[in-house]
Amino acid sequence: MENIQSPKRALIAMSGGVDSSVAAMLMCREGYECIGVTMKLYDNEDIGLSKGHTCCSLDDVEDARGVAYQLGMRFYVMNFKEDFSEKVIDRFVDAYETGRTPNPCIDCNRYMKFAKLYHRAQEVGCDTIVTGHYARIEYDESRGRWLLKKSRNTAKDQSYVLYFMTQEQLAHTRFPLGEFETKEEVRSLAAEYHFTNAGKHDSQDICFVPDGNYAGFIERRTGKKYENGPFVDNEGNVLGEHKGIIRYTIGQRKGLGLALPAPLYVCRKDMKNNTVILSPEKDLYTKELMADDFNWIALEAPKEPIRVTAKTRYHAREAAATAVSLDDKTVKIVFDEPQRAITSGQAVVLYDGDVVVGGGTIL
């Protein structure tokens, strides 16, 4: 017998891309009453652009609106510019100014989609928030916990940028694309529904720095000029002059502008003295890191060391390690083999097979 109760209501975060469009379609197909939302995160003038293809462009809003109309969904554009400026852009700038290398996509997911938008969903009577992320959520009866798991499409897996999710957020979130094994399946569904964005390219850059020039963006944002300073080796010998310390990140070799007898890499940054320390590649490898602001998902903070695999960058390979919880929010991770260019400000995410154990920010 057909269920005649009113359907559950879901808020769909719609970027205008094919992934969130297909996620919306799948939820409609499940019988949910769906409301589409595009978050207005900034004006192009805010980031020093007159116009451009970014995730907040008018074209993207119209693509999202068009799909929502096709699916018979209500659609809204919600203004989150002030929060995005504070929680994502300002944090991005602060990280670079204090010598760290941030991942602003994690902050955007954490503070915009799964905080601000999640609360907005509750205000409009939605019990579920839906995004086009490639990841999976399952409830584990034996643990009595919600689990965040890798996407079946391992090439597109985005569980790394979702490690911060709480049990409450996981309980009220759906990732419909997590079960697809290829992007082609998703595009095929979009074409089947005649979505105009079925062939649209995936966005690659940080949305508010579409030209990839982080230092230029930070200088425009702050109005500061980051002074030149010395490149030095491990012994303190001056090797040349850098063009502003925010332009360099740990592990970098290209773009130093130096003629050196042997390859040297950015190994450390002394922000106080405006100095970039260059070293041979072997000095980039280390076996330990400390992480704070740690969020445990698959279990409570363990009282004993646990075996995991760990990723220290979005595109890094997982490496075998032991994790030791020092307190509720601080974790020490010791790798079996030394890892290259572990960088403060990036996330470290722990896995047990395809289950996200937890994650935090590298100190």
Side-chain angles (χ1 to χ4, degrees):
M1 185 173 171
E2 197 170 82
N3 185 351
I4 58 171
Q5 292 180 330
S6 60
K8 290 184 177 179
R9 186 180 289 174
L11 190 75
I12 321 290
M14 300 183 72
S15 65
V18 65
D19 291 333
S20 56
S21 299
V22 171
M25 178 272 290
L26 291 168
M27 295 302 289
C28 288
R29 209 158 74 174
E30 275 192 44
Y32 277 76
E33 178 191 340
C34 295
I35 300 172
V37 169
T38 296
M39 297 184 294
K40 179 69 173 172
L41 300 177
Y42 55 82
D43 291 318
N44 281 348
E45 295 74 28
D46 299 339
I47 61 170
L49 295 176
S50 56
K51 61 180 181 177
H53 183 74
T54 70
C55 77
C56 296
S57 73
L58 280 174
D59 286 347
D60 292 325
V61 172
E62 290 313 307
D63 285 345
R65 192 192 308 276
V67 168
Y69 179 78
Q70 263 181 273
L71 295 171
M73 294 164 49
R74 282 184 282 160
F75 175 79
Y76 302 98
V77 177
M78 293 185 175
N79 185 348
F80 292 158
K81 290 190 293 183
E82 192 174 323
D83 291 274
F84 187 77
S85 179
E86 176 191 345
K87 297 289 190 182
V88 181
I89 297 181
D90 287 350
R91 288 171 63 89
F92 174 84
V93 171
D94 179 68
Y96 270 104
E97 288 194 321
T98 51
R100 292 166 289 147
T101 302
N103 187 327
C105 297
I106 291 175
D107 281 345
C108 185
N109 283 318
R110 182 175 188 173
Y111 298 112
M112 298 294 104
K113 290 189 182 79
F114 297 101
K116 193 74 180 173
L117 194 63
Y118 176 69
H119 290 307
R120 194 65 64 88
Q122 294 172 313
E123 289 171 5
V124 296
C126 293
D127 51 17
T128 303
I129 186 170
V130 180
T131 74
H133 283 102
Y134 285 83
R136 291 179 292 151
I137 297 170
E138 291 178 10
Y139 186 73
D140 187 320
E141 295 281 357
S142 63
R143 308 188 206 203
R145 297 180 76 86
W146 290 92
L147 301 181
L148 175 65
K149 303 179 77 172
K150 292 178 189 173
S151 168
R152 296 205 187 280
N153 181 347
T154 54
K156 296 288 290 181
D157 175 58
Q158 293 173 298
S159 58
Y160 175 87
V161 297
L162 300 166
Y163 72 82
F164 54 82
M165 291 185 72
T166 65
Q167 288 292 301
E168 182 189 354
Q169 289 167 344
L170 289 166
H172 295 279
T173 301
R174 290 283 299 276
F175 298 137
L177 303 190
E179 297 295 335
F180 290 91
E181 294 185 355
T182 68
K183 179 72 179 238
E184 287 66 36
E185 293 173 82
V186 175
R187 290 199 186 279
S188 175
L189 271 174
E192 189 182 313
Y193 275 75
H194 305 291
F195 291 161
T196 55
N197 58 8
K200 190 172 183 177
H201 291 303
D202 295 341
S203 57
Q204 299 293 336
D205 297 311
I206 294 172
C207 67
F208 58 88
V209 194
D211 63 357
N213 182 0
Y214 306 149
F217 170 81
I218 292 168
E219 287 181 336
R220 290 193 302 272
R221 177 80 175 181
T222 62
K224 296 179 187 175
K225 169 69 177 160
Y226 295 87
E227 299 297 330
N228 294 6
F231 283 120
V232 303
D233 63 16
N234 285 332
E235 285 71 47
N237 301 308
V238 176
L239 303 172
E241 189 175 70
H242 68 68
K243 293 180 169 58
I245 200 164
I246 62 169
R247 286 176 161 77
Y248 306 93
T249 189
I250 305 303
Q252 180 177 337
R253 178 170 75 92
K254 294 181 178 178
L256 301 181
L258 299 175
L260 300 166
L264 293 180
Y265 299 76
V266 175
C267 187
R268 296 193 313 283
K269 296 195 293 183
D270 179 347
M271 304 303 288
K272 184 178 178 183
N273 295 306
N274 194 28
T275 300
V276 178
I277 298 93
L278 304 180
S279 303
E281 187 174 23
K282 64 180 177 61
D283 291 353
L284 293 175
Y285 287 83
T286 181
K287 288 186 74 169
E288 294 186 8
L289 68 81
M290 297 287 288
D292 70 350
D293 194 23
F294 208 88
N295 180 51
W296 295 96
I297 297 179
L299 69 168
E300 297 290 341
K303 300 205 173 1
E304 301 293 330
I306 61 168
R307 292 292 292 167
V308 293
T309 57
K311 282 176 72 164
T312 55
R313 287 177 187 259
Y314 184 65
H315 292 296
R317 288 184 179 175
E318 290 169 45
T322 299
V324 182
S325 176
L326 303 180
D327 57 44
D328 276 353
K329 290 291 184 182
T330 310
V331 175
K332 178 181 180 180
I333 294 157
V334 183
F335 292 92
D336 292 7
E337 300 293 334
Q339 300 299 300
R340 186 184 187 280
I342 293 174
T343 305
S344 66
Q346 292 284 297
V348 58
V349 179
L350 311 183
Y351 291 89
D352 176 11
D354 64 355
V355 174
V356 177
V357 177
T361 305
I362 298 170
L363 291 173

